[in-house]
Amino acid sequence: YAVNITADQTVVKIKVSANGAWQRYRLTLNRSAVNPSNEARLSELSVLSGTSVQPLAKTFSSDTLEYGRNIPNETASVTIKPTAISAKASITVDGKAVVSGSESQSIAVEEGKSVSVPVVVTAEDLTMKTYTVTINRADILSNNAFLSALTISAVGTWAPQFSSATNSYAITVKNDVSS
């Protein structure tokens, strides 16, 4: 049985009988767009920490695919908010679907580490464009003000030998050393 599809949506009703029993089925055939959109770019891209927008390292452009953002050590995670140019495009952030203009799932970043997060935009015709946002979290701040080494350019004798816990030294140099 051939069905003539004459509109963007065609309904086909099917009636099946077997030994006096009847069953009805309804099929709705949706014709895809004649020219599906190939628009797979973003119009906006933001990194958020809580409710605060964190500016990207460079100004956003739909045609630039690589972005970065440094975050302080006390920020353990961020979300990414992508907005597609086309309402018919779909978006994933780090492999998980995100509604255009909405925040992604929380993305954790370890202290002193970087994480690259793919933001994939898929157009109606399945054209794909991948933006990458690299988040760099600062390492824990140290309050260690000790020297790890100390050298002098002139040959001399240290008293006592260098130790990061010692903060007073006497160095004996030859008589002809002036600087």
Side-chain angles (χ1 to χ4, degrees):
Y1 179 77
V3 175
N4 206 9
I5 301 173
T6 58
D8 288 342
Q9 188 177 76
T10 301
V11 176
V12 178
K13 296 178 182 176
I14 301 170
K15 185 176 168 182
V16 178
S17 69
N19 296 321
W22 291 90
Q23 185 65 29
R24 294 179 190 261
Y25 295 91
R26 177 185 165 109
L27 291 168
T28 303
L29 304 172
N30 296 305
R31 185 184 302 182
S32 64
V34 175
N35 295 314
S37 171
N38 66 354
E39 182 59 76
R41 294 179 300 153
L42 294 175
S43 61
E44 293 181 44
L45 182 62
S46 305
V47 174
L48 292 94
S49 172
T51 58
S52 174
V53 174
Q54 303 294 316
L56 296 168
K58 57 184 164 189
T59 303
F60 177 77
S61 167
S62 295
D63 297 317
T64 301
L65 301 178
E66 301 283 331
Y67 292 92
R69 174 67 188 142
N70 295 329
I71 59 173
N73 176 268
E74 58 271 8
T75 302
S77 66
V78 296
T79 58
I80 294 178
K81 182 179 174 183
T83 303
I85 290 175
S86 171
K88 295 185 178 191
S90 62
I91 302 172
T92 62
V93 174
D94 207 19
K96 295 183 177 80
V98 174
V99 174
S100 180
S102 299
E103 289 182 47
S104 71
Q105 72 283 2
S106 181
I107 299 161
V109 185
E110 293 181 40
E111 289 179 343
K113 303 285 183 182
S114 295
V115 64
S116 291
V117 182
V119 178
V120 181
V121 184
T122 305
E124 186 179 24
D125 74 348
L126 303 182
T127 298
M128 298 171 81
K129 189 168 292 256
T130 302
Y131 295 81
T132 302
V133 181
T134 302
I135 308 296
N136 305 300
R137 182 175 174 192
D139 208 350
I140 193 164
L141 297 177
S142 172
N143 60 1
N144 179 352
F146 292 104
L147 292 174
S148 60
L150 182 62
T151 59
I152 60 169
S153 59
V155 176
T157 306
W158 290 83
Q161 289 294 322
F162 176 77
S163 166
S164 61
T166 303
N167 59 8
S168 181
Y169 295 93
I171 302 170
T172 305
V173 295
K174 292 183 182 179
N175 189 29
D176 61 345
V177 174
S178 61
S179 62

